[in-house]
Amino acid sequence: MKDGGTGKANYTKSLAVKPSLSGGIGSEDCNIAFTTYLQKLQPALADYRVDDVLIVDIDSSGNVIASGKHGICGTIAAPETLQLKQCLDQGKKYKSTILEITTVSCKVRVRRLLS
């Protein structure tokens, strides 16, 4: 037996560790793109249409928001939000494009703006 006759298998697996807020993340980790529904929708949403482009930023309360020429549409609360926030803090720029929009929902595709 490979396990020395103990009956126990020894398995190891390398784990990718996501960096903490204090550790920062590398530039390649900021090349993120994802699709999500906006949360906390705002009245300005009524002025937007499919394919409109919104700027992704952090507001004074620390929320990641999507806004455009008509004002704030809503907040981004996706599994990728922490990583996105870290990248925004590093000065990286992101946009979101409206994919679907109704009076009660707004689906966007978030992507990094490359300089």
Side-chain angles (χ1 to χ4, degrees), residues 31-70:
N31 291 329
I32 55 176
F34 59 93
T35 300
T36 189
Y37 284 92
L38 295 180
Q39 305 296 312
K40 299 182 183 174
L41 299 176
Q42 300 299 307
L45 182 68
D47 297 323
Y48 289 98
R49 303 289 175 256
V50 169
D51 293 328
D52 281 351
V53 176
L54 308 170
I55 298 300
V56 176
D57 207 351
I58 301 174
D59 69 9
S60 60
S61 299
N63 298 308
V64 179
I65 59 168
S67 63
K69 61 184 176 184
H70 303 295

Side-chain angles (χ1 to χ4, degrees), residues 90-101:
Q90 290 181 10
K92 307 293 190 280
K93 304 290 183 194
Y94 292 84
K95 69 175 182 177
S96 58
T97 304
I98 297 176
L99 302 176
E100 298 172 14
I101 190 167

